[in-house]
Amino acid sequence: MKAMIVLGTRPEIIKLAPIIKGLGSKKCSVIFTGQHYDYQMGMQFIHQLELPKPNYSLKISKSNPQLQISEIIAKLSKILSKEKPDTVMVQGDTNTVLAAGICSLKSNIPISHVEAGLRSNDWRMPEEHNRIAIDHLSELLFAPTQNSKINLTSEKVHGQIHVTGNTIIDAINTYSKISKKKSQISVEMDNFVLLTLHRSENVDNKKILTSIVKGLVDSNEDIIFPIHPRTRKRLVEFNLYNKLLRSKNILLLNSLGYFDMLELMKQCEFIVTDSGGIQEEATSPLIRKKVLVVRKTTDRPEAIESGMAEIIGLNEKTISKSIKKTMKDPRISSRKTPYGKGDASKKILKILQKHF
């Protein structure tokens, strides 16, 4: 079997790391598209997780989604024609995933989709378009939960569906053991909230981003905010960056590596985020932190149902009130992650070896 793994963003690197290591260099090659072309958001994670250097780096130059997708397809098609893998493996719902899926389909190469079946039912999210499309293009669909399988079954996808758990739990089980040693971050703040913010429907909308920022500042709780490059750009553009700098309760940091983020998740009281991946990570028994989701919907309902996460919306007063309330009691009752035992990658590898 020869698999070609195509990835381009931080979450893809982290979630595919256990599979890349499990397959080994003889059975897989890696293509890094550079969708997150900022070093902090891309290659840094490949180096930190001690993954082999990608066999191909596309160095995508476009930031516009349409142009980005077309550029990936154009460059990837030449590689697929040369390598002729048994399957192309992708993870999640990024532009890289959609582009790789279209290119693989037209190259008559079966697609294997890790983390299939997630749905937010929110068409404002570009990721929703991508994940629906890739699920209907794929031959093997690795669903993290039964809920994801139900979504796929109801849509009558043509590929084989396998419930495996989520590989993010595998990654945490491996890397949390060494994160303290590898991390370079030092926090002198007690009882702090960890904040991440990056989704386009939030940060690209001035009204929404202004509301979120006001809610965070008005909470008066100590918040550590590692800023995604996209978010920083919008904060400056919307004249909100200085408001955060002047606030007495928010500490701004540059975007961080994986080990630093793991340590912050361990040390914080709870997390405020619009990230889907962090909603999953926080359920790990090795982290186990409450998550407040600054979105109208979520594609991780399992975290909500387990009581580990709560959707708080985008209203500034609700955000402020929710942060204050949770700080008084950030405890969560559930001790079991809904995303598996940390053996998802082993299950996926067995299915791949059997199928190809």
Side-chain angles (χ1 to χ4, degrees), residues 15-84:
K15 292 181 176 182
L16 287 170
I19 294 175
I20 293 171
K21 290 191 173 184
L23 283 170
S25 59
K26 291 184 179 180
K27 291 186 177 180
C28 94
S29 56
V30 176
I31 299 177
F32 179 57
T33 68
Q35 181 178 325
H36 278 171
Y37 39 82
D38 181 277
Y39 176 79
Q40 292 292 104
M41 304 304 293
M43 286 301 295
Q44 179 190 24
F45 289 91
I46 291 175
H47 295 320
Q48 283 195 341
L49 303 187
E50 298 181 347
L51 297 175
K53 181 181 178 181
N55 300 80
Y56 299 91
S57 291
L58 303 188
K59 298 180 181 178
I60 300 303
S61 60
K62 310 297 184 184
S63 58
N64 175 283
Q66 300 95 313
L67 296 177
Q68 191 177 72
I69 289 170
S70 64
E71 187 175 357
I72 293 172
I73 291 174
K75 292 184 176 182
L76 184 58
S77 62
K78 298 176 183 178
I79 299 172
L80 294 183
S81 296
K82 176 185 175 182
E83 295 288 342
K84 296 181 173 59

Side-chain angles (χ1 to χ4, degrees), residues 10-11 14 36-45 48 183-185 194-198 224-233 235 241 251-262 264 278:
R10 168 192 179 274
I14 295 169
H36 278 171
Y37 39 82
D38 181 277
Y39 176 79
Q40 292 292 104
M41 304 304 293
M43 286 301 295
Q44 179 190 24
F45 289 91
Q48 283 195 341
S183 173
Q184 297 179 345
I185 196 164
L194 176 61
L195 167 69
T196 76
L197 202 62
H198 76 281
I224 292 181
F225 184 12
I227 306 182
H228 188 288
R230 177 198 192 115
T231 306
R232 182 186 295 274
K233 181 178 179 180
L235 287 169
Y241 189 75
L251 174 62
L252 303 180
L253 301 177
N254 292 326
S255 56
L256 299 175
Y258 184 48
F259 296 121
D260 290 336
M261 280 299 297
L262 276 180
L264 286 179
I278 287 181

Side-chain angles (χ1 to χ4, degrees), residues 187-198:
V187 178
E188 297 180 359
M189 189 183 291
D190 295 325
N191 303 319
F192 68 89
V193 180
L194 176 61
L195 167 69
T196 76
L197 202 62
H198 76 281

Side-chain angles (χ1 to χ4, degrees), residues 195 197 202-203 205-220 223 225 227 231 234-236 238-247 249-250 252 272 294 313-317 319-320 323:
L195 167 69
L197 202 62
N202 281 348
V203 304
N205 185 306
K206 183 177 181 179
K207 183 178 179 180
I208 291 175
L209 189 56
T210 300
S211 178
I212 293 173
V213 167
K214 192 171 190 309
L216 296 168
V217 173
D218 290 350
S219 74
N220 291 318
I223 297 172
F225 184 12
I227 306 182
T231 306
R234 294 293 181 253
L235 287 169
V236 172
F238 299 151
N239 296 314
L240 295 169
Y241 189 75
N242 286 334
K243 182 179 177 68
L244 289 173
L245 278 178
R246 292 192 301 267
S247 68
N249 63 312
I250 299 178
L252 303 180
V272 177
V294 281
L314 303 168
N315 178 271
E316 60 194 61
K317 292 183 179 178
I319 291 171
S320 177
I323 292 173

